[in-house]
């Protein structure tokens, strides 16, 4: 839909015939346009095909997740975090659990920490694969989405193995994970995937990286330098593609990330093409982390022994009435952390995500506030598209890798 701004006065038009009858055109992209990656509405002001101004309009998917969390027990909030970024639910689960555990002063067993890291990196692969495929659709590499979904399906099968469902697994819980992994079935699936995926990643490079059309559509497009990233608090692949070496997993390690050897890919092109390369490099590093996790999986408990959040052993539940009463107490009351607040930053596929949790001493959070990378990354879209062609807006939106469930909340 486009509207033309014209001077309604005939007298003014007769004064000069050299000036055009219009100044700029307002062009509306979305909210149904597929390149907006969801229900995003972008208002563009253009001069011919050149973008003069850009105004992202959000809120079409508002769900009130932060307010909803105030009416839930702490462990009941975990399924809400899944829906924020449905392409990387495990990293959201982990971020929420870490903040609640910090509030409670709970130590998570080593086995649960390693399982969390493994699943978080599989989620990173899951998210980047979908981004690569949908980015290909936006730019014109239509076959790429089929490759991305093919490998992603293997990851969803692993999620189904541990959590009982492919999407929105809600597998992590404050104190650890809901149930232990089955090493006889889950670990072989992970090893099979890690064995085949590097060759598939090489196929993606052959399809895209040196493709002249792909490079022409992305190189030099959507420039966002380090100073702009700092001004808008942009993190994740967008920041690292601007030459800034910052990754929460390295700078502020959590959940045993300090035990893993991996590199943080950094590039300095500041454009859509380097953001693409950065995410491709990150997938290779995630494979390295996953291999270390399955090779060094510790034994032992998969959830804390702290009885404020963890149930007694199942055999005890069957024979001990006190344990059974405690079981129903946890289900009905949840945990009551002391008054205070906690925030733990984590590295999601899109950037830093964390949950500020405020406790008033009851079994429900007084306040929950999300630090959402998708929303923050979307704010810089006007900086990226001004002066570019309308066709470049599509590539710039794709390079932000937004998920509207996290933007609107």
């Amino acid at each position: 839909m486009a509207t033309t701004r014209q001077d309604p006065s005939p007298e003014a038009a007769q004064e000069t015939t050299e000036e055009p009858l219009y100044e700029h055109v307002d062009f509306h992209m979305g909210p149904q346009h597929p390149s907006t990656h969801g229900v995003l509405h972008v208002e563009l002001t253009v001069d011919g095909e050149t973008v003069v101004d850009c105004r992202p309009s959000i809120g079409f998917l508002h769900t009130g997740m932060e307010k909803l969390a105030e009416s839930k027990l702490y462990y009941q909030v975990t399924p809400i975090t899944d829906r924020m970024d449905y392409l990387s639910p495990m990293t959201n689960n982990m971020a929420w659990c870490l903040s609640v555990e910090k509030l409670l002063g709970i130590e998570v067993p080593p086995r649960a920490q390693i399982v969390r890291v493994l699943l978080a990196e599989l989620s990173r692969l899951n998210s980047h694969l979908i981004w690569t495929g949908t980015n290909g659709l936006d730019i014109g590499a239509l076959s790429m989405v089929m490759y991305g979904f093919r490998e992603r399906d293997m990851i969803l099968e692993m999620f189904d193995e541990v959590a009982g469902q492919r999407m929105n697994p809600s597998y992590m819980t404050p104190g650890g994970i809901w149930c232990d992994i089955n090493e006889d079935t889950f670990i072989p699936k992970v090893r099979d995937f890690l064995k085949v995926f590097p060759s598939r990643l090489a196929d993606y490079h052959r399809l895209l990286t040196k493709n002249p059309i792909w490079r022409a559509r992305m190189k030099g497009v959507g420039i966002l330098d380090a100073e702009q990233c700092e001004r808008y608090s942009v993190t994740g692949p967008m920041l690292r593609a601007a030459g800034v070496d910052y990754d929460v997993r390295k700078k502020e390690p959590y959940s045993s990330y300090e035990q893993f050897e991996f590199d943080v890919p950094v590039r300095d092109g500041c454009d859509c093409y380097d953001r693409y390369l950065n995410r491709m490099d990150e997938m290779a590093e995630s494979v390295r982390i996953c291999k270390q996790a399955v090779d060094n999986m510790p034994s032992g408990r998969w959830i804390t022994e702290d009885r404020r959040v963890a149930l007694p052993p199942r055999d005890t539940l069957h024979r001990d009435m006190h344990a059974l009463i405690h079981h129903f107490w946890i289900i009905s009351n949840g945990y009551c952390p002391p008054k205070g607040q906690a925030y733990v930053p984590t590295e999601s596929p899109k950037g830093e995500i964390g949950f500020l949790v405020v406790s008033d001493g009851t079994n429900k959070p007084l306040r929950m506030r999300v630090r959402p990378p998708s929303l923050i990354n979307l704010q810089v879209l006007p900086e990226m598209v001004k002066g570019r062609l309308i066709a470049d807006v599509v590539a710039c939106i794709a390079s932000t890798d937004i998920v509207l469930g996290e933007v609107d909340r």
Side-chain angles (χ1 to χ4, degrees):
M1 175 181 178
T3 58
T4 304
R5 301 178 184 173
Q6 294 184 338
D7 192 329
S9 171
E11 293 79 7
Q14 293 174 0
E15 292 180 2
T16 175
T17 58
E18 296 180 359
E19 295 183 1
L21 296 178
Y22 65 90
E23 293 180 356
H24 296 130
V25 174
D26 291 334
F27 183 85
H28 297 265
M29 179 179 288
Q32 77 289 342
H33 196 287
S35 71
T36 57
H37 290 242
V39 282
L40 171 66
H41 175 210
V42 181
E43 300 175 14
L44 299 174
T45 300
V46 298
D47 182 359
E49 290 192 41
T50 303
V51 177
V52 177
D53 194 15
C54 169
R55 299 171 298 279
S57 176
I58 63 175
F60 295 92
L61 196 61
H62 179 62
T63 51
M65 291 179 176
E66 294 173 331
K67 188 64 178 178
L68 181 62
E70 298 175 13
S71 64
K72 302 294 182 183
L73 304 177
Y74 280 92
Y75 71 89
Q76 292 176 330
V77 178
T78 304
I80 298 177
T81 67
D82 284 337
R83 275 75 182 172
M84 290 184 187
D85 183 356
Y86 39 83
L87 297 179
S88 183
M90 296 289 193
T91 54
N92 287 13
N93 291 171
M94 182 189 290
W96 166 252
C97 291
L98 288 170
S99 291
V100 175
E101 289 156 3
K102 182 177 180 180
L103 199 60
L104 287 161
I106 291 176
E107 185 67 29
V108 177
R111 181 176 178 84
Q113 292 189 32
I114 300 300
V115 172
R116 284 182 174 185
V117 168
L118 174 58
L119 294 171
E121 294 307 314
L122 289 174
S123 289
R124 194 178 314 279
L125 290 166
N126 176 41
S127 180
H128 285 350
L129 283 168
I130 294 300
W131 176 83
T132 307
T134 55
N135 195 21
L137 282 177
D138 294 340
I139 304 301
L142 303 184
S143 62
M144 189 58 228
V145 71
M146 293 183 285
Y147 291 93
F149 270 85
R150 179 186 62 183
E151 274 66 79
R152 183 215 187 198
D153 194 72
M154 298 176 68
I155 296 175
L156 295 185
E157 286 294 326
M158 290 181 257
F159 288 171
D160 188 31
E161 173 69 31
V162 297
Q165 58 186 32
R166 292 158 60 90
M167 291 187 66
N168 304 324
S170 302
Y171 180 61
M172 300 181 193
T173 187
I177 50 182
W178 274 113
C179 58
D180 198 6
I181 60 172
N182 187 334
E183 294 198 24
D184 294 332
T185 56
F186 174 65
I187 296 298
K189 285 186 178 181
V190 177
R191 291 190 186 279
D192 290 343
F193 172 78
L194 297 178
K195 184 182 299 183
V196 71
F197 185 73
S199 64
R200 303 284 172 82
L201 190 59
D203 290 340
Y204 308 158
H205 278 292
R206 282 191 288 271
L207 281 167
L208 300 177
T209 303
K210 295 185 179 180
N211 185 314
I213 300 176
W214 183 262
R215 291 169 63 92
R217 289 295 309 275
M218 301 185 76
K219 283 192 73 68
V221 175
I223 297 295
L224 192 70
D225 60 31
E227 186 275 330
Q228 291 171 306
C229 289
E230 182 179 354
R231 181 150 41 93
Y232 284 91
S233 298
V234 171
T235 55
M238 294 183 66
L239 176 65
R240 293 188 285 273
V244 180
D245 183 5
Y246 180 79
D247 188 309
V248 180
R249 295 172 297 173
K250 283 286 190 180
K251 300 299 182 181
E252 301 179 57
Y254 54 92
S255 192
S256 75
Y257 266 109
E258 66 278 1
Q259 301 176 18
F260 291 84
E261 294 182 4
F262 65 99
D263 299 319
V264 177
V266 178
R267 294 180 178 271
D268 57 5
C270 306
D271 58 7
C272 292
Y273 187 70
D274 269 19
R275 290 176 208 125
Y276 152 74
L277 290 177
N278 194 277
R279 291 183 175 100
M280 295 286 278
D281 293 341
E282 283 191 7
M283 285 195 278
E285 295 303 318
S286 291
V287 170
R288 286 182 61 191
I289 296 174
C290 290
K291 286 181 178 178
Q292 294 173 62
V294 295
D295 290 340
N296 301 286
M297 182 67 66
S299 57
R301 290 186 59 85
W302 42 268
I303 195 166
T304 179
E305 295 183 355
D306 193 314
R307 287 292 174 261
R308 289 177 295 171
V309 300
L311 301 178
R314 290 184 180 179
D315 57 344
T316 305
L317 282 177
H318 290 301
R319 69 172 186 266
D320 189 341
M321 182 58 67
H322 293 288
L324 191 61
I325 293 173
H326 180 74
H327 166 72
F328 285 110
W329 182 88
I330 287 183
I331 292 177
S332 59
N333 294 283
Y335 349 103
C336 295
K339 292 183 179 180
Q341 62 183 27
Y343 174 85
V344 178
T346 63
E347 186 72 29
S348 84
K350 298 164 180 60
E352 179 185 327
I353 187 171
F355 293 82
L356 174 65
V357 188
V358 181
S359 169
D360 59 356
T362 64
N363 58 4
K364 298 175 182 177
L366 176 66
R367 185 74 173 92
M368 185 266 270
R369 180 72 173 87
V370 187
R371 195 274 184 200
S374 288
L375 175 62
I376 293 172
N377 294 349
L378 180 61
Q379 292 181 106
V380 299
L381 182 63
E383 299 270 3
M384 298 163 62
V385 303
K386 287 179 182 178
R388 303 298 310 182
L389 298 177
I390 295 175
D392 294 334
V393 177
V394 176
C396 292
I397 292 175
S399 74
T400 61
D401 191 20
I402 56 173
V403 165
L404 269 297
E406 187 186 282
V407 172
D408 291 339
R409 300 188 308 287

